[in-house]
Amino acid sequence: MEFDSDAALRGWLRHEVRAAAERDLVALDPALVDVAVSAHAKRRAGACRHVPLPDGAVGTRPDWDAVDDRHREATLVLARRAADAFDEATLHDVVRHELLHAEQVQAYGVTDHGPAFRERAAALEVPLTCPPFADPAYRLYCARCGDVVGRRYRRCPTVETPENYRTGCCSAALTVEECAPE
């Protein structure tokens, strides 16, 4: 999809929030959902910002009459780079994923990627991950099968001492490739 401005992207995102609520795809009040575009996000395509309810737990509905409404408010954030890189279907998947977080925030005051989230995502066929849209500084490979098993965007213990780690696919050694900068 192409958006000629951040304002156009925010407008599309607002429309998606309202449409999802109207079609009962998610149980949320769109009036409590704000939208934003991040020009800085490089690795995460979307986010659901919120003020977590202290002692809140997914699955336990608080007494909302006794709790400040700011714990039910959420801001869905899309990375501008992701919006520019993804096709329409992938971008919709990112939005639907973040809407599930907003749904949890409005129900419980908190959200996570725990069993309830994964179950709800599976029921609605919402992916838990999205493809990368930024080039990593390092790629991690399985020495046995050659599959890419990770990406890193800066130096970290895995990159500096790969011999201390094994892959999840084959329990084999890791190899690290330094990617050329653009």
Side-chain angles (χ1 to χ4, degrees):
M1 295 181 74
E2 285 193 36
F3 298 97
D4 57 0
S5 68
D6 287 355
L9 181 54
R10 283 191 304 274
W12 175 81
L13 186 52
R14 275 190 202 94
H15 167 25
E16 291 300 308
V17 169
R18 283 190 310 270
E22 287 170 7
R23 293 191 310 258
D24 291 325
L25 296 178
V26 288
L28 60 77
D29 178 353
L32 296 174
V33 179
D34 199 4
V35 299
V37 174
S38 172
H40 303 290
K42 295 179 181 175
R43 296 185 301 270
R44 112 184 112 62
C48 178
R49 294 188 190 140
H50 66 288
V51 177
L53 179 64
D55 301 322
V58 172
T60 303
R61 291 190 183 274
D63 176 7
W64 286 113
D65 293 332
V67 176
D68 189 331
D69 269 350
R70 69 189 171 104
H71 297 293
R72 295 187 67 215
E73 297 170 351
T75 300
L76 299 190
V77 183
L78 276 182
R80 180 65 206 206
R81 289 178 175 102
D84 291 342
F86 289 156
D87 61 23
E88 186 172 353
T90 305
L91 197 55
H92 275 282
D93 285 344
V94 170
V95 171
R96 290 176 34 209
H97 178 103
E98 299 310 329
L99 283 168
L100 291 184
H101 284 298
E103 180 181 62
Q104 281 190 334
V105 167
Q106 287 190 11
Y108 311 116
V110 293
T111 185
D112 61 22
H113 285 109
F117 184 89
R118 291 191 303 270
E119 187 176 302
R120 181 83 167 117
L124 295 176
E125 298 180 357
V126 173
L128 295 175
T129 61
C130 69
F133 60 91
D135 294 325
Y138 306 92
R139 276 194 195 85
L140 309 175
Y141 292 92
C142 174
R144 183 169 297 143
C145 70
D147 284 353
V148 173
V149 295
R151 293 169 184 78
R152 298 294 182 269
Y153 296 85
R154 59 181 154 231
R155 292 194 70 77
C156 64
T158 312
V159 169
E160 293 175 353
T161 56
E163 64 276 5
N164 293 339
Y165 300 89
R166 308 300 279 176
T167 64
C169 55
C170 302
S171 293
L174 271 179
T175 59
V176 178
E177 171 194 28
E178 189 168 352
C179 303
E182 289 185 9

